[in-house]
Structure formats: structure tokens, C-alpha cells
Amino acid sequence: MMTGFRLNLAPLKEPLGFIKFVEWLTAIFAFGSCGGYSGTNIVSLFCGEGRNETLNVTFSYPFRLNLVALLEANTTLCNHSVPVTHLVGDSASSAQFFVGVAIICFLYSIVALLVYLGYMHMYIDSDFGPMFDFGLTAAIAFLWLVCSSAWAKGLQNVKDATGTAGITSTLALCKESDVACEVTDFANMRTLNVSVVFGYLNMIVWAGNAWFVYKETRWHSQKYTAQHGAGAGRGQQVPAAI
């Protein structure tokens, strides 16, 4: 068996290598669209005497909303004394889980591509390499399902907490009869919605890639050999007795 690095770009033209390159790209889009997010909602307070107040609510990854202050100090708004108030909720665990899985996939895709392009001759001749690759690929596909579902729920919690209903239930001033609260300018959460889409897309891509990795394992080769061996045996004619 030949050892050492031997650059060969042919695997990129095959599903095994090409899909791994796609996984590398989709992982970048997944953690990039979520991990760097920051947005601001503008809350308008309509006071009974016709005077209006505004509050800026800025939140960002990892979305620990319980640390985001609606009011950072005791103040007076609409002739009412209002204490320090924070948003309600914490989506940090789901957001960081999602980004963490994306980063792991990004790094593993780089390592796998390095193996495919430089050590494919050793990969094919090894039983451990394809079996390890298949097991990890299948596990990552499942992780994408879990983390994308968790992040989709966490994102909905962020939207609820920073929307009009969430602000109204959090800010005591909004419960006064002469004060109305409304979010009049919403942060653009398009990139966060895209991150969820890329999460499920990654799940589909990794699940599909698991099949092509499985074809490189001895499990598939043994099954293929057994099936064709049985077919060849049935195709042989039994000589007639004399």
C-alpha cells in the first residue's frame, strides 16, 4: 500500500467529494447567518396626554434576552415611574448549539476533503477510514435535525419576546390604562430565518452523503459480493445425470 500525500482532484468530480465541498459551504452559511446577528426594535409608547416616547431594544447572538435591558435605569415615562426592566427569555443554548454544530461540520469537511484529495489511495484500502467516515456523517445528519429544530423554536421565542405582545407583557408601564405600547420598527430577522433553512438543508445534504460514504465501506462491498455471488450461482446450469 502506498503512503504519503498524493494530490488528486478527481474525488471532487464524484458525489463523495463534491457533496463534502457543498457541506463545507452550507456550514459557513449556517453559522455566518446566525452567529453574527444583531438587531434593534423600536418600541413606541403612546401616552394619554398625546405625548409619545420611544425605546430602542437591541439584541444579538447568543440571544440571552434576560440580559437585554428595556430600561437601564429607573426613569419616568408618560408621567409614570418605571423601574429597570429586562426582556424575558434565553435562547442562548439553542443558538450556540446550532452554531457549534455548524463549526464542527465546517472543520470536519476540511479534514475530510484533505483526506479525499490527498490520501484517497489509503482511504480506499482501509476498512477503518470509510466506516469511521460513515458513522460520523450519519451522526452529524442527526445532529443537524436536532439543532435546527431547537434553533427554530429558539428563534420563535426571540420573535415573541421582542414583539409587541412580548414587550407589553414585560414592561409594567404598558399595562397602565393611559399608555399603549407597540413595536413600530422591527429588526430585520431575514438572516436568522435563512439560518434555520440552511440548518435543515445541511441535514438533507449530510443524510444524502451518508449513502455515498456507506458505499465505500466493507459492509456495502460484502453485501454487493454476496448478492452477485448468489446470482451467479443461480445462473449456472446443473449438468444432467447420465
Side-chain angles (χ1 to χ4, degrees), residues 68-133:
V68 176
L70 274 170
L71 295 171
E72 297 183 353
N74 295 337
T75 187
T76 299
L77 294 172
C78 298
N79 296 326
H80 294 275
S81 179
V82 185
V84 175
T85 306
H86 293 80
L87 292 176
V88 175
D90 186 354
S91 296
S93 58
S94 60
Q96 290 176 326
F97 180 32
F98 180 84
V99 171
V101 170
I103 292 175
I104 290 173
C105 292
F106 169 77
L107 296 176
Y108 179 65
S109 296
I110 293 177
V111 174
L113 282 172
L114 179 63
V115 172
Y116 294 165
L117 301 182
Y119 298 94
M120 196 62 177
H121 53 289
M122 298 175 61
Y123 179 88
I124 295 175
D125 293 337
S126 168
D127 285 337
F128 174 77
M131 292 171 66
F132 176 81
D133 194 10

Side-chain angles (χ1 to χ4, degrees), residues 26-177:
T26 53
I28 293 175
F29 287 123
F31 71 73
S33 56
C34 177
Y37 180 82
S38 180
T40 300
N41 281 3
I42 296 178
V43 182
S44 296
L45 309 178
F46 303 99
C47 307
E49 63 273 14
R51 190 167 49 85
N52 298 335
E53 305 277 0
T54 58
L55 298 175
N56 293 334
V57 184
T58 301
F59 52 96
S60 60
Y61 175 85
F63 307 103
R64 290 190 175 91
L65 301 182
N66 56 325
L67 301 181
V68 176
L70 274 170
L71 295 171
E72 297 183 353
N74 295 337
T75 187
T76 299
L77 294 172
C78 298
N79 296 326
H80 294 275
S81 179
V82 185
V84 175
T85 306
H86 293 80
L87 292 176
V88 175
D90 186 354
S91 296
S93 58
S94 60
Q96 290 176 326
F97 180 32
F98 180 84
V99 171
V101 170
I103 292 175
I104 290 173
C105 292
F106 169 77
L107 296 176
Y108 179 65
S109 296
I110 293 177
V111 174
L113 282 172
L114 179 63
V115 172
Y116 294 165
L117 301 182
Y119 298 94
M120 196 62 177
H121 53 289
M122 298 175 61
Y123 179 88
I124 295 175
D125 293 337
S126 168
D127 285 337
F128 174 77
M131 292 171 66
F132 176 81
D133 194 10
F134 170 71
L136 192 54
T137 299
I140 288 176
F142 176 73
L143 280 178
W144 273 118
L145 172 63
V146 175
C147 75
S148 298
S149 300
W151 170 228
K153 180 62 171 63
L155 176 57
Q156 186 59 51
N157 291 340
V158 171
K159 293 178 178 179
D160 292 341
T162 57
T164 297
I167 297 296
T168 300
S169 63
T170 302
L171 191 59
L173 176 64
C174 299
K175 298 180 176 64
E176 299 291 338
S177 59

